[in-house]
């Protein structure tokens, strides 16, 4: 079924080639796209708070990755900012009013948690909000390292409010980290005491004005404090409750990785069907898709896509089930994010390499999606550190992840054997925080979480009736990644592993076109390399130099800056 935004994707706003615009024009375009998507989806507070099916439909919509800057603005706005407001607004009418303005996009929301000096150890952040005798607060960035990093907080033509996490100080006592609602700017001018320094562009990804944000004696009225002034009994637990939207964000980031895989796969497949070379033995033209080295990665990514679709459904269902322990739901979000982003990043690299030089150009979507998704791998749960945290919890039995339905399956066997090996290391040491043990275990955390995710995804796909040929290819694609293990423990010598994968590819190959149609992604593919017609239109739109000198052609207009420089040379 087509995504509901498919007509929006075909509109001029989303089809226009932004690569030719200036940096600030691109930023403005991304804001405009974000607001258009938001007004199209019209998510409500309940959707965000309860993570309803509409919430997940939004986060899996490929329109968000046609311009990932728009997608980033929206995920911060909806999940992190509106989601935190929604937690408190039922009992706080003044917060509900602001939330309403944000939901109707009269105001954008930002989320200032991370600091320059405190990323993954953000529990030790330095921003301070001091209670004053009249009940108001004074918000300060006490040292340069406490600058908020790196939400895009610069003026953008629309008023903006942020949730700012700061240490609450009451009569000299540290009451823990609390969220404050802080107006940042009116769209054009910063609020008193708020300073923003726009960081230089990330490069490679779509541009967004990521910034450093500083607070100097910002006076906040008493209602700005969203939570109570009480010190939580358990500081760590209290902190994770305050930032619970980041945990929702972990899975939201994860599910957004499916659309880039689909776009990458579709673009590479269509290009490979169009692109021909002369066959060395017959002298005839043949499309590059006919090479094993071309269709194998495309079919493999297709198998991953179909399995990931089922994986997302399973993770979302379990994550949204409030009867399940919160720690386990967080772990499911982590397994989901690690699995999805791992597949996504690997597939975008392997696919873009198969498009030759065309794979390097932003306009063809592959390289820019890879850079955008690198950001998604870090934001709202860095993959490695998520893996370290949950591997430890699983190994010491603090969290029980659902066991394999079929422990004799190849993926399940490998997962269980990895867990077994790591547990033996732990039980043989004095304490699970022992430094020597840490050195042995840490490098295996991400591979273990990936292994759990692969097995869990496979089971989800079996349960949801995914085509058996795709399931076989999914499993076969992992054998070469740990060839020695499958050879030593699963009785599969390398030649068998290779044969299994080749057979799986052969059985899927005849259905390539049907499988590509089935992922319903064409409206979101703007890469000109996918068809002769699109390539022709792209070439027509390019800046052109002919024998007519540029200055003559621009005679009636003031020459552009770049033309002036060329003329000087
Ligand atoms: C696209 C994007 C958007 C963002 N938007 C926002 C936003 O809106 N609001 C906001 O508050 N923040 C935002 N961030 C910041 C984000 O939350 C942080 O980048 C993230 O928390 C990681 O912090 P860091 O970059 O400082 O990494 P660091 O903390 O410096 O970690 C770097 C590396 O150190 C190692 N490391 C750190 N801790 C450990 C450990 N315990 N064990 C082992 N290794 C470790 C890991 O290799 C890790 O990858 C955004 C980031 C990105 C990329």
């Amino acid at each position: 079924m087509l995504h509901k935004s498919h007509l929006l994707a075909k509109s001029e706003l989303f089809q226009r080639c932004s690569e030719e615009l200036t940096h600030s024009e691109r930023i403005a375009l991304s804001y405009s796209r974000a607001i258009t998507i938001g007004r199209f989806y019209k998510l409500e507070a309940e959707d965000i708070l309860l993570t309803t099916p509409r919430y997940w439909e939004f986060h899996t919509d490929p329109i968000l990755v046609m311009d990932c800057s728009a997608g980033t603005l929206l995920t911060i706005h909806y999940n992190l900012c509106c989601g935190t407001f929604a937690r408190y607004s039922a009992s706080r009418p003044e917060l509900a009013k602001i939330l309403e303005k944000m939901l109707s996009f009269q105001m954008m929301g930002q989320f200032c948690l991370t600091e320059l000096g405190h990323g993954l150890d953000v529990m030790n952040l330095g921003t301070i909000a001091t209670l004053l005798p009249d009940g108001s607060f004074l918000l300060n960035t006490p040292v340069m390292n406490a600058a908020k990093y790196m939400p895009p907080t610069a003026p953008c033509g629309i008023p903006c409010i942020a949730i700012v996490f700061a240490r609450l100080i009451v009569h000299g006592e540290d009451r823990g980290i609390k969220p404050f609602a802080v107006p940042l700017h009116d769209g054009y001018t910063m609020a008193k005491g708020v300073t923003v320094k726009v960081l230089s562009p990330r490069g490679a990804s779509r541009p967004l004005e990521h910034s450093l944000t500083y607070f100097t004696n910002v006076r906040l009225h008493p209602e700005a404090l969203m939570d109570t002034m009480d010190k939580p009994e358990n500081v760590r637990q209290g902190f994770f409750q305050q930032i619970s939207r980041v945990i929702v964000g972990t899975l939201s980031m994860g599910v957004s990785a499916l659309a880039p895989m689909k776009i990458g796969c579709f673009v590479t497949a269509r290009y490979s069907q169009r692109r021909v070379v002369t066959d060395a033995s017959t002298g005839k033209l043949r499309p590059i898709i006919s090479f094993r080295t071309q269709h194998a990665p495309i079919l493999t990514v297709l198998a991953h896509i179909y399995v990931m679709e089922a994986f997302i459904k399973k993770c979302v269902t379990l994550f949204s089930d409030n009867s399940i322990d919160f720690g386990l739901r967080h772990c499911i979000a982590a397994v989901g994010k690690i699995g999805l982003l791992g597949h996504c990043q690997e597939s975008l690299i392997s696919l873009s390499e198969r498009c030759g030089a065309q794979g390097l150009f932003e306009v063809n979507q592959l390289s820019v999606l890879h850079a955008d998704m690198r950001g998604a791998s870090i934001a709202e749960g860095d993959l490695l550190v998520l893996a370290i945290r949950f591997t430890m919890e699983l190994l010491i039995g603090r969290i029980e992840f659902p066991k394999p339905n079929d422990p004799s399956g190849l993926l399940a066997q490998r997962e269980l054997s990895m867990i077994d090996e790591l547990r033996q290391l732990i039980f043989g040491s004095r304490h699970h925080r022992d430094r020597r043990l840490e050195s042995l275990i840490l490098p295996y955390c991400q591979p273990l979480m990936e292994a759990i995710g692969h097995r869990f995804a496979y089971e989800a796909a079996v349960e949801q009736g995914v085509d058996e040929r795709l399931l076989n290819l999914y499993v076969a694609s992992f054998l070469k990644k740990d060839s020695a293990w499958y050879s030593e423990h699963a009785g599969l010598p390398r030649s068998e592993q290779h044969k299994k994968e080749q057979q799986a590819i052969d059985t899927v190959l005849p259905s390539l076109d049907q499988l590509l149609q089935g992922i319903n992604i064409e409206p979101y593919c703007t890469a000109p390399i996918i068809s002769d017609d699109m390539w022709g239109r792209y070439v027509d739109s390019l800046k052109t130099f002919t024998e007519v000198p540029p200055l003559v052609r621009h005679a009636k207009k003031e020459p552009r800056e770049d033309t002036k420089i060329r003329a000087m040379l």
Side-chain angles (χ1 to χ4, degrees), residues 14-32:
F14 286 87
Q15 289 291 317
R16 74 175 297 182
C17 181
S18 57
E19 291 76 24
E20 300 300 325
L21 302 177
T22 63
H23 181 76
S24 43
E25 285 169 342
R26 293 190 71 172
I27 306 283
L29 179 64
S30 294
Y31 270 96
S32 167

Side-chain angles (χ1 to χ4, degrees), residues 325-440:
D325 167 67
F326 187 68
L328 176 57
R329 285 163 57 211
H330 191 181
C331 182
I332 286 162
V335 169
K337 182 174 182 187
I338 293 166
L340 280 149
L341 273 149
H343 280 323
C344 173
Q345 291 303 78
E346 196 181 315
S347 57
L348 287 171
I349 286 281
S350 77
L351 293 169
S352 86
E353 282 175 354
R354 298 285 63 79
C355 293
Q358 294 283 14
L360 301 174
F361 287 84
E362 180 180 343
V363 74
N364 289 325
Q365 296 180 281
L366 294 147
S367 61
V368 73
L369 279 171
H370 182 261
D372 286 333
M373 287 296 120
R374 264 194 76 188
S377 313
I378 297 164
E380 297 170 59
D382 173 277
L383 297 190
L384 172 65
V385 177
L386 275 177
I388 291 173
R389 174 175 168 195
F390 285 105
T391 297
M392 288 304 185
E393 307 246 314
L394 291 169
L395 291 178
I396 60 176
R398 211 178 273 157
I399 287 181
E400 283 254 343
F401 197 81
K403 300 243 174 332
N405 293 339
D406 173 13
S408 68
L410 280 176
L411 298 179
Q413 278 187 55
R414 178 165 170 271
E415 170 197 340
L416 294 172
S417 139
M418 285 174 87
I419 292 177
D420 210 36
E421 268 177 40
L422 294 177
R423 281 215 170 115
Q424 279 177 26
L425 286 175
I426 289 192
F427 296 143
S429 84
R430 271 175 296 147
H431 192 272
H432 74 274
R433 293 200 191 278
D434 178 335
R435 275 286 172 93
R436 264 183 317 143
L437 178 68
E438 183 185 288
S439 311
L440 290 173

Side-chain angles (χ1 to χ4, degrees), residues 72 76 80 110-122 148-152 202 210 372 374-376 378-382 384-385 388 442:
T72 303
I76 298 173
L80 297 176
Q110 290 295 342
F111 190 79
C112 297
L113 171 65
T114 314
E115 295 177 355
L116 188 59
H118 302 286
L120 293 164
D121 71 336
V122 73
K148 291 297 181 184
Y149 177 74
M150 50 190 245
R202 273 159 62 188
H210 290 294
D372 286 333
R374 264 194 76 188
I378 297 164
E380 297 170 59
D382 173 277
L384 172 65
V385 177
I388 291 173
L442 257 50

Side-chain angles (χ1 to χ4, degrees), residues 287-330:
I288 56 174
I289 191 82
S290 61
F291 292 105
R292 185 58 137 196
T293 40
Q294 199 75 16
H295 59 242
I298 294 169
L299 292 168
T300 303
V301 175
L302 270 171
H304 287 197
I305 288 169
Y306 279 88
V307 173
M308 287 300 106
E309 203 118 41
F311 181 48
I312 287 178
K313 276 192 198 138
K314 183 152 182 168
C315 290
V316 162
T317 307
L318 292 175
F319 182 78
S320 306
D321 182 347
N322 285 327
S323 69
I324 297 176
D325 167 67
F326 187 68
L328 176 57
R329 285 163 57 211
H330 191 181

